Amino acid sequence: MYDVVIIGGGPAGLSAGIYAARGGLKTVIFEGKIFGGQIVTSYEVENYPGFSKGISGMDLIDNFMKQAEKFDVETNYDGVTCINDEIECKSVNLTNGNCVKTKTIIIASGASANKLGCPGEKKFSGKGVSYCATCDGAFFKNKVVAVIGGGDSAIEEALYLSNLAKKVYIIHRRDQLRATKILDKRAKENKSIEFILDTVVKEIQGDKLVNGLLVENVKTKKKDRIDVDGVFIYVGLTPNTEFVKDLIKLDENGCILTNEEMETNIEGVYAAGDVRSKSLKQVVTAASDGAIAANNAQKYIESKF
Amino acid sequence: MAEVQLTEGSWEEEVLNSDIPVLVDFWAPWCGPCRMVAPIVSEIADEYKDRLKVGKLNTDEEPGIAVKYGIMSIPTLMIFKNGEVAEQIIGAVPKEYFIEKLNKVL
Ligand SMILES: Cc1cc2nc3c(=O)[nH]c(=O)nc-3n(C[C@H](O)[C@H](O)[C@H](O)COP(=O)(O)OP(=O)(O)OC[C@H]3O[C@@H](n4cnc5c(N)ncnc54)[C@H](O)[C@@H]3O)c2cc1C
């Protein structure tokens, strides 16, 4: 039996793993896709303390991973399909059909990028539609692209793309961005970036590859076509909580409710990172949540087993 | 079988004329998800070592091949059988999804 099963290998899960294993607990991280979570798609993380020159999301995660390996955290590429609260212990079911017993569970399953949900999005996925500017930006050198969204991720990635593409449109459905001031300012001062506000995408058009967008102004209802070679979608996130929702209390957005000790409504089950209901969803808070969850898992094990 | 580093020069011999199916991992050094997919690809290379060749194509160094196969998003994994693309996987997906696609071809 494990002391701690951690669900998700992003910053929150890896941090929890480092703390739990360093504390001497038998720890495993189950990652259903790729380790690193959302941040591996980020070109540059400027606000994680300790890296004064900034660091790429990938290099940051490399360090998280190496640190986890150093303390012998077991890692595994099976997703978790459901968690169970049994009388003596807890257990998790895996995508490979196995069931694993554990004394505690830390849910660090993060969030997934939303789809736009308009015609053409699926058809042109990988043919001009992208969800990762760092991955795919280089295929759009000297081309025209659009970034959809107005939050931090959208603006950061638009700034990154402006170094490669000839022109970057930022299309946002409101009349103002949600991004932090410093990013907003940089984008507005950037000559390659043009804002198209109050506007939604109705359709992604193309032949074999994307060649344009059909957009609509939400105030005037005027429709327009914009020629683009690529479209990068950053329209918010949905917490990955489907698989725990029968057992764990969620808020109205589907995020896990915890107290500041990362405790959920079930004793011995903790949540950490973007999956949690909280105000600031960043790497630094994910890492912090993971540490607190692991520390409390350890205390729980000492008192119960 | 160890993973083969593919180039435009070796493409025909290693991929198109291969006796067994070939899984080609299109990647680039600056692509975070590509680097995180790599360990999964290595695991697969080990698990299927007699039945599958696994190749890596760096889209930065070999843009010609990437253009030829219409790669506009990485990671992309393609499974070649008898010189033709039999399956294609775009983006980071769960390991069992790879296995499912592989089992269709093998
Ligand atoms: C483009 C972009 C730029 C960003 N830039 C910054 C920045 O500059 N600074 C900053 O601090 N933050 C930034 N962020 C936010 C940051 O990435 C997140 O806050 C952080 O990754 C949250 O970590 P997490 O571990 O809670 O969740 P995630 O990173 O979402 O990781 C969760 C992991 O759990 C896995 N998982 C989900 N469900 C299951 C399951 N059932 N079984 C097993 N595994 C599962 C997922 O595959 C994933 O790997 C950015 C995000 C994006 C998208």
Side-chain angles (χ1 to χ4, degrees):
Chain A
M1 179 157 54
Y2 286 103
D3 291 321
V4 192
V5 161
I6 297 166
I7 306 170
L14 289 167
S15 166
I18 292 165
Y19 272 79
R22 188 166 178 274
L25 302 178
K26 187 169 153 51
T27 306
V28 62
I29 305 178
F30 289 109
E31 168 52 57
K33 264 196 202 161
I34 53 169
F35 275 87
Q38 297 161 53
I39 201 65
V40 298
T41 66
S42 169
Y43 169 67
E44 194 178 19
V45 181
E46 280 189 332
N47 52 9
Y48 191 76
F51 296 91
S52 56
K53 296 193 183 82
I55 182 168
S56 78
M58 186 58 233
D59 288 341
L60 184 59
I61 281 301
D62 252 355
N63 284 326
F64 273 56
M65 293 284 289
K66 285 198 188 110
Q67 213 168 341
E69 275 160 29
K70 186 169 132 191
F71 297 113
D72 288 329
V73 177
E74 196 182 318
T75 55
N76 191 307
Y77 286 104
D78 286 308
V80 173
T81 55
C82 108
I83 68 173
N84 317 294
D85 189 22
E86 295 169 17
I87 297 161
E88 291 289 315
C89 65
K90 327 226 172 282
S91 66
V92 301
N93 293 30
L94 303 177
T95 42
N96 68 8
N98 291 346
C99 178
V100 172
K101 290 201 178 307
T102 177
K103 293 174 187 164
T104 62
I105 296 173
I106 298 175
I107 306 164
S109 48
S112 298
N114 290 338
K115 299 270 187 296
L116 205 52
C118 71
E121 181 178 24
K122 200 165 170 210
K123 179 175 172 201
F124 294 112
S125 176
K127 302 279 171 252
V129 172
S130 172
Y131 304 88
C132 178
T134 24
C135 307
D136 304 339
F139 300 111
F140 297 89
K141 265 183 204 142
N142 299 319
K143 297 198 170 163
V144 179
V145 299
V147 171
I148 319 298
D152 279 349
S153 303
I155 307 310
E156 266 170 27
E157 302 313 299
L159 286 164
Y160 170 72
L161 288 166
S162 74
N163 298 320
L164 297 162
K166 184 162 69 185
K167 177 160 196 95
V168 181
Y169 293 106
I170 295 179
I171 302 176
H172 185 43
R173 64 192 156 130
R174 300 189 207 286
D175 59 3
Q176 270 179 28
L177 301 181
R178 271 181 295 117
T180 42
K181 283 217 174 75
I182 182 166
L183 291 173
D184 189 308
K185 183 161 173 276
R186 277 185 210 161
K188 284 182 177 139
E189 285 168 358
N190 190 307
K191 291 207 170 62
S192 319
I193 295 180
E194 182 180 329
F195 286 90
I196 304 179
L197 300 176
D198 284 326
T199 298
V200 292
V201 177
K202 285 287 180 188
E203 189 183 340
I204 299 170
Q205 301 177 325
D207 179 15
K208 281 195 177 117
L209 304 173
V210 168
N211 62 24
L213 300 173
L214 193 64
V215 297
E216 183 185 271
N217 185 298
V218 291
K219 291 194 176 140
T220 64
K221 298 287 169 207
K222 194 173 161 286
K223 285 200 172 69
D224 221 338
R225 193 190 126 102
I226 307 168
D227 291 343
V228 299
D229 305 298
V231 46
F232 291 80
I233 298 171
Y234 291 95
V235 290
L237 300 161
T238 300
N240 299 318
T241 50
E242 250 324 284
F243 71 107
V244 297
K245 71 171 197 295
D246 292 339
L247 206 59
I248 303 295
K249 274 206 186 111
L250 309 177
D251 71 6
E252 65 282 5
N253 300 316
C255 297
I256 297 178
L257 289 164
T258 68
N259 59 15
E260 62 181 41
E261 298 299 331
M262 308 303 139
E263 292 163 337
T264 67
N265 57 306
I266 306 273
E267 236 196 342
V269 179
Y270 307 85
D274 278 17
V275 77
R276 204 164 74 77
S277 183
K278 63 174 180 179
S279 61
L280 182 65
K281 296 190 173 178
Q282 291 275 283
V283 180
V284 66
T285 57
S288 161
D289 287 358
I292 295 169
N295 189 49
N296 286 319
Q298 180 148 31
K299 283 191 199 152
Y300 172 82
I301 292 168
E302 280 162 9
S303 73
K304 290 276 171 177
F305 289 89
Chain B
M1 193 188 296
E3 294 151 42
V4 189
Q5 300 303 322
L6 299 167
T7 62
E8 202 154 355
S10 68
W11 184 261
E12 190 168 339
E13 189 195 327
E14 292 281 11
V15 180
L16 302 182
N17 298 337
S18 169
D19 294 335
I20 52 172
V22 190
L23 174 70
V24 180
D25 175 4
F26 293 87
W27 71 288
W30 31 259
C31 161
C34 298
R35 274 162 65 185
M36 300 316 282
V37 161
I40 305 180
V41 173
S42 298
E43 277 189 26
I44 288 174
D46 270 352
E47 287 164 26
Y48 287 80
K49 58 173 172 278
D50 302 321
R51 293 188 284 158
L52 181 75
K53 185 192 285 186
V54 177
K56 306 276 248 184
L57 188 109
N58 183 329
T59 58
D60 244 6
E61 286 169 5
E62 306 291 340
I65 297 279
V67 169
K68 184 163 175 216
Y69 288 92
I71 306 288
M72 288 184 90
S73 189
I74 49 174
T76 286
L77 284 104
M78 285 185 179
I79 308 170
F80 286 81
K81 194 176 181 180
N82 303 326
E84 308 223 343
V85 183
E87 286 289 344
Q88 175 171 345
I89 301 163
I90 298 172
V93 298
K95 188 180 169 192
E96 70 261 17
Y97 187 77
F98 286 111
I99 307 267
E100 205 177 285
K101 291 272 187 189
L102 274 175
N103 288 343
K104 271 199 208 164
V105 176
L106 295 179

